[in-house]
Amino acid sequence: MVRFTVHTLGEHSIDNLIVTGPCRDIVAAMVEMFLATYSGPPDGDLDYAFAEYVISISMGQGKILEWRPSPPAALQ
Protein backbone atom coordinates (compact mmCIF):
# COMPACT_ATOMS: atom_id res chain seq x y z
CA MET A 1 0.00 0.00 0.00
CA VAL A 2 1.27 3.42 -0.95
CA ARG A 3 -0.30 6.71 0.11
CA PHE A 4 0.83 9.75 -1.87
CA THR A 5 -0.21 13.25 -2.75
CA VAL A 6 0.00 15.16 -6.01
CA HIS A 7 -0.49 18.91 -5.86
CA THR A 8 -3.24 19.12 -8.49
CA LEU A 9 -4.99 15.80 -7.75
CA GLY A 10 -4.91 15.53 -3.95
CA GLU A 11 -4.11 12.58 -1.71
CA HIS A 12 -4.55 9.03 -3.03
CA SER A 13 -3.80 5.47 -1.97
CA ILE A 14 -2.79 2.52 -4.13
CA ASP A 15 -3.13 -1.08 -3.01
CA ASN A 16 -2.58 -3.83 -5.60
CA LEU A 17 -2.91 -1.16 -8.31
CA ILE A 18 -6.40 -0.23 -7.08
CA VAL A 19 -6.60 3.52 -6.59
CA THR A 20 -8.65 5.38 -3.99
CA GLY A 21 -8.87 9.13 -3.64
CA PRO A 22 -10.69 12.21 -4.94
CA CYS A 23 -9.45 11.90 -8.55
CA ARG A 24 -9.15 8.11 -8.65
CA ASP A 25 -10.57 7.89 -12.19
CA ILE A 26 -7.79 10.12 -13.54
CA VAL A 27 -5.04 8.26 -11.65
CA ALA A 28 -6.50 4.84 -12.46
CA ALA A 29 -6.53 5.73 -16.17
CA MET A 30 -2.73 5.94 -16.00
CA VAL A 31 -2.35 2.30 -14.88
CA GLU A 32 -2.40 0.82 -18.40
CA MET A 33 0.19 3.28 -19.69
CA PHE A 34 2.36 2.60 -16.63
CA LEU A 35 2.17 -1.19 -17.07
CA ALA A 36 2.98 -0.88 -20.78
CA THR A 37 6.18 1.05 -20.02
CA TYR A 38 7.25 -0.55 -16.71
CA SER A 39 10.76 -1.94 -17.04
CA GLY A 40 11.62 -2.58 -13.41
CA PRO A 41 12.19 -5.95 -11.81
CA PRO A 42 9.29 -8.40 -12.28
CA ASP A 43 9.06 -8.91 -8.52
CA GLY A 44 9.25 -5.17 -7.78
CA ASP A 45 6.61 -3.29 -5.78
CA LEU A 46 4.25 -2.10 -8.53
CA ASP A 47 2.27 0.12 -6.14
CA TYR A 48 5.38 2.10 -5.18
CA ALA A 49 6.64 2.27 -8.77
CA PHE A 50 3.22 3.45 -9.97
CA ALA A 51 3.08 6.18 -7.30
CA GLU A 52 6.52 7.39 -8.42
CA TYR A 53 5.30 7.30 -12.03
CA VAL A 54 2.26 9.48 -11.25
CA ILE A 55 4.41 11.93 -9.31
CA SER A 56 6.92 12.12 -12.19
CA ILE A 57 4.13 12.84 -14.69
CA SER A 58 3.01 15.73 -12.47
CA MET A 59 6.47 17.29 -12.85
CA GLY A 60 7.48 16.20 -9.36
CA GLN A 61 4.67 18.15 -7.71
CA GLY A 62 3.93 15.42 -5.18
CA LYS A 63 5.40 13.09 -2.63
CA ILE A 64 4.95 9.68 -1.09
CA LEU A 65 3.40 10.01 2.36
CA GLU A 66 3.33 6.37 3.47
CA TRP A 67 4.55 3.06 2.11
CA ARG A 68 3.90 -0.43 3.42
CA PRO A 69 5.66 -3.00 1.25
CA SER A 70 3.59 -5.90 0.02
CA PRO A 71 4.19 -9.12 1.96
CA PRO A 72 6.38 -11.64 0.15
CA ALA A 73 4.60 -14.26 -1.91
CA ALA A 74 4.02 -17.52 -0.09
CA LEU A 75 6.33 -20.34 -0.99
CA GLN A 76 4.61 -23.38 -2.39
Side-chain angles (χ1 to χ4, degrees):
M1 190 283 298
V2 178
R3 191 169 58 92
F4 69 100
T5 185
V6 173
H7 178 68
T8 55
L9 299 175
E11 188 176 311
H12 292 78
S13 293
I14 304 169
D15 193 9
N16 292 322
L17 292 180
I18 297 174
V19 180
T20 57
C23 296
R24 68 181 164 269
D25 295 335
I26 294 170
V27 176
M30 297 178 202
V31 170
E32 286 186 37
M33 189 167 52
F34 164 74
L35 291 174
T37 60
Y38 179 71
S39 61
D43 60 345
D45 189 333
L46 289 178
D47 292 338
Y48 190 85
F50 179 59
E52 286 186 325
Y53 175 79
V54 173
I55 291 169
S56 72
I57 285 179
S58 68
M59 305 298 180
Q61 297 295 312
K63 64 181 178 178
I64 293 178
L65 303 172
E66 179 183 2
W67 175 48
R68 282 186 269 152
S70 301
L75 297 175
Q76 295 187 17

